[in-house]
């Protein structure tokens, strides 16, 4: 990976960007500074915490942060994960990638816990595959 610092952005910083933060920390360790933030932060979605726990990542201490709390000088790469909503604006000269994917929470759908968790697992696995490509230099 050619970046020293990556920022994952979503609106609520509750699911996709939180899972990306946890997965990237596991993959890159101390070699890359990993952050996540949103324009309307809420709380980390319990399904995101569960989906990460299934792959050995404890995200229980992660918390949602506002994009304005991130120093633009501390970021080499910004990855947005928003799809149907407008992603937050991040000022700075960092390189940018869009990994648009639907919100796994599907809060407007009547789903069982297992069905909802399945959407989080799918998002987790998609993010992890993209992180692997990023790590191998085949950025997409």
């Amino acid at each position: 990976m050619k970046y020293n610092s990556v920022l994952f952005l979503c609106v609520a910083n509750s699911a996709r960007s939180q899972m990306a933060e946890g997965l990237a920390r596991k993959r890159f360790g101390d070699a890359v500074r990993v952050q996540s933030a949103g324009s309307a932060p809420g709380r980390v979605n319990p399904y995101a915490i569960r989906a990460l726990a299934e792959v050995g990542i404890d995200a229980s201490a992660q918390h949602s942060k506002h994009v304005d709390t991130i120093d633009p000088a501390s970021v080499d790469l910004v990855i947005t994960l928003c799809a149907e909503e407008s992603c937050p604006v991040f000022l700075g000269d960092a390189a940018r990638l869009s990994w648009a994917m639907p919100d796994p929470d599907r809060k407007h759908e009547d789903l069982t816990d297992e069905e909802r968790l399945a959407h989080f697992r799918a998002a987790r696995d998609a993010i992890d595959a993209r992180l692997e490509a990023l790590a191998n230099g085949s950025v997409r």
Side-chain angles (χ1 to χ4, degrees), residues 1-139:
M1 169 130 155
K2 64 180 182 175
Y3 300 100
N4 296 318
S5 175
V6 63
L7 171 64
F8 297 99
L9 281 182
C10 258
V11 174
N13 188 219
S14 65
R16 292 163 287 189
S17 54
Q18 288 289 339
M19 288 192 293
E21 178 180 344
L23 290 162
R25 286 182 192 278
K26 180 179 180 182
R27 180 173 297 277
F28 302 123
D30 293 336
V32 177
R33 181 177 183 187
V34 177
Q35 303 176 85
S36 71
S39 56
R43 64 178 175 81
V44 180
N45 191 301
Y47 289 98
I49 293 171
R50 283 175 61 187
L52 288 173
E54 290 178 349
V55 294
I57 298 170
D58 179 5
S60 61
Q62 288 182 206
H63 62 282
S64 297
K65 299 155 290 292
H66 196 281
V67 67
D68 290 348
T69 66
I70 307 295
D71 176 9
S74 72
V75 179
D76 296 331
L77 175 64
V78 175
I79 299 175
T80 57
L81 296 129
C82 309
E84 61 278 351
E85 64 280 276
S86 295
C87 261
V89 173
F90 183 76
L91 301 177
D93 297 327
R96 295 168 196 276
L97 293 173
S98 173
W99 291 355
M101 61 185 64
D103 185 351
D105 193 35
R106 313 275 179 109
K107 43 188 153 279
H108 302 298
E109 295 180 30
D110 187 23
L111 302 171
T112 67
D113 282 352
E114 190 56 34
E115 288 170 331
R116 196 168 308 281
L117 185 56
H119 290 293
F120 278 82
R121 288 176 179 135
R124 175 200 65 207
D125 295 346
I127 292 166
D128 198 40
R130 291 178 182 184
L131 285 169
E132 183 176 357
L134 183 65
N136 293 332
S138 53
V139 178

